[in-house]
Amino acid sequence: MNIQKIMDRVLFALSVPKCVCCGERLNYGRNAFCPKCSAEFEEFKTRNCSRCARILSECDCSNEYLEAHFIRRVVKCCRYLSRNDKSPVNALIYSLKRDNREDVLSFAADQLLFALNNSVSNLPECIVTNIPRRKSAIVEFGIDHSELLAREIARRSGARYLRIFRSNAKKPQKSLETSDRRKNADFTVLNKADMTGKRVIIVDDIITSGASMSNAAALIRAMGCRDITAAALAIAYRDT
């Protein structure tokens, strides 16, 4: 960890949080972004789905690969641009993964819950779970950010959270080609609760190839689930 990162963590510990995108100090009560970066984030949210033409936070279009793995509905907030590390969407996801900031978690939960309410009826009747983080990443950063996000969404919506999976992945998904991602996205089922007829929401920070979501969905489907929704802050796959 370099000196700047250490300084950033110390500043936050002293209640001087910074914008996750540009690093500007935030006023008390502001979530995640400064006014300028917040406006940029809101602009990213207005991007349209290539299938239905609705803005992404109001769209639940899936794709052929995910549909083939029982995921008929994909709820998302924004589009992730892998070659634009300075975008507010990418900055939000990176902070959620690394920083364990309550304001960032709260902001991310607000965004995803808004999108879920646009697409999923009777949220309190659903079971919420998450794509688990690799063990080595949990050791490195001290958190499973997708579990924290899923728990917060369940708490706010009145839904039930269940920790269903443990990751057996050996490498980060982003470092692998699509075919290798499917092999790497290996999960152990920890909770074999009766899912017969249940509606399940699987939460993650980002959907790229869909390998993790599809493998998790197949396991939940085998447990008797009747309806699966994938929910992520951003999608990186092409929806055309």
Side-chain angles (χ1 to χ4, degrees), residues 144-208:
D144 184 336
H145 60 293
S146 63
E147 179 176 338
L148 293 176
L149 183 58
R151 286 183 180 277
E152 184 65 9
I153 286 170
R155 184 186 70 81
R156 294 187 184 196
S157 66
R160 179 187 178 195
Y161 173 80
L162 280 180
R163 182 170 178 256
I164 297 177
F165 307 112
R166 181 181 64 230
S167 174
N168 300 317
K170 303 301 182 183
K171 300 178 181 179
Q173 290 288 81
K174 66 181 180 181
S175 67
L176 303 173
E177 298 296 329
T178 299
S179 59
D180 292 326
R181 288 185 180 207
R182 294 169 187 169
K183 298 175 184 177
N184 191 57
D186 179 42
F187 306 116
T188 296
V189 176
L190 300 176
N191 191 325
K192 298 183 179 181
D194 183 10
M195 294 286 186
T196 304
K198 302 295 185 183
R199 300 163 62 217
V200 177
I201 298 169
I202 309 175
V203 172
D204 203 1
D205 57 347
I206 179 172
I207 300 174
T208 48

Side-chain angles (χ1 to χ4, degrees), residues 4 8 29-30 42 77 137 174 178 181 220-221 230 236:
Q4 185 59 52
D8 286 347
R30 179 171 293 280
E42 292 299 320
C77 303
K174 66 181 180 181
T178 299
R181 288 185 180 207
I220 290 176
R221 180 75 172 185

Side-chain angles (χ1 to χ4, degrees), residues 2-19:
N2 61 34
I3 296 299
Q4 185 59 52
K5 287 185 177 180
I6 293 173
M7 290 178 64
D8 286 347
R9 287 176 180 260
V10 170
L11 283 171
F12 183 71
L14 295 173
S15 298
V16 189
K18 290 184 173 184
C19 172

Side-chain angles (χ1 to χ4, degrees), residues 45-238:
K45 287 168 57 180
T46 65
R47 307 295 171 86
N48 299 101
C49 171
S50 301
R51 285 188 167 191
C52 70
R54 291 180 293 175
I55 63 174
L56 290 178
S57 62
E58 297 178 358
C59 155
D60 59 12
C61 291
S62 186
N63 63 24
E64 291 183 1
Y65 179 71
L66 292 171
E67 287 173 354
H69 291 82
F70 318 111
I71 300 173
R72 308 288 188 264
R73 187 184 304 107
V74 178
V75 174
K76 55 273 189 186
C77 303
C78 306
R79 198 176 300 282
Y80 176 90
L81 304 176
S82 59
R83 297 182 180 179
N84 186 4
D85 284 348
K86 294 183 179 180
S87 81
V89 177
N90 296 30
L92 178 67
I93 291 172
Y94 298 157
S95 181
L96 187 68
K97 286 176 177 288
R98 299 180 310 219
D99 297 333
N100 198 20
R101 285 175 50 169
E102 289 187 10
D103 59 339
V104 172
L105 176 63
S106 177
F107 182 86
D110 283 343
Q111 301 301 313
L112 193 49
L113 191 54
F114 175 83
L116 281 165
N117 279 319
N118 284 332
S119 298
V120 180
S121 61
N122 299 320
L123 274 175
E125 297 178 1
C126 297
I127 291 174
V128 179
T129 191
N130 64 285
I131 299 296
R133 197 171 200 180
R134 288 180 301 116
K135 182 179 179 180
S136 59
I138 294 174
V139 170
E140 180 179 359
F141 295 103
I143 56 170
D144 184 336
H145 60 293
S146 63
E147 179 176 338
L148 293 176
L149 183 58
R151 286 183 180 277
E152 184 65 9
I153 286 170
R155 184 186 70 81
R156 294 187 184 196
S157 66
R160 179 187 178 195
Y161 173 80
L162 280 180
R163 182 170 178 256
I164 297 177
F165 307 112
R166 181 181 64 230
S167 174
N168 300 317
K170 303 301 182 183
K171 300 178 181 179
Q173 290 288 81
K174 66 181 180 181
S175 67
L176 303 173
E177 298 296 329
T178 299
S179 59
D180 292 326
R181 288 185 180 207
R182 294 169 187 169
K183 298 175 184 177
N184 191 57
D186 179 42
F187 306 116
T188 296
V189 176
L190 300 176
N191 191 325
K192 298 183 179 181
D194 183 10
M195 294 286 186
T196 304
K198 302 295 185 183
R199 300 163 62 217
V200 177
I201 298 169
I202 309 175
V203 172
D204 203 1
D205 57 347
I206 179 172
I207 300 174
T208 48
S209 67
S212 295
M213 276 289 178
S214 61
N215 286 6
L219 292 171
I220 290 176
R221 180 75 172 185
M223 297 165 69
C225 172
R226 71 175 174 87
D227 183 82
I228 300 172
T229 297
L233 288 171
I235 57 169
Y237 61 80
R238 295 179 62 86

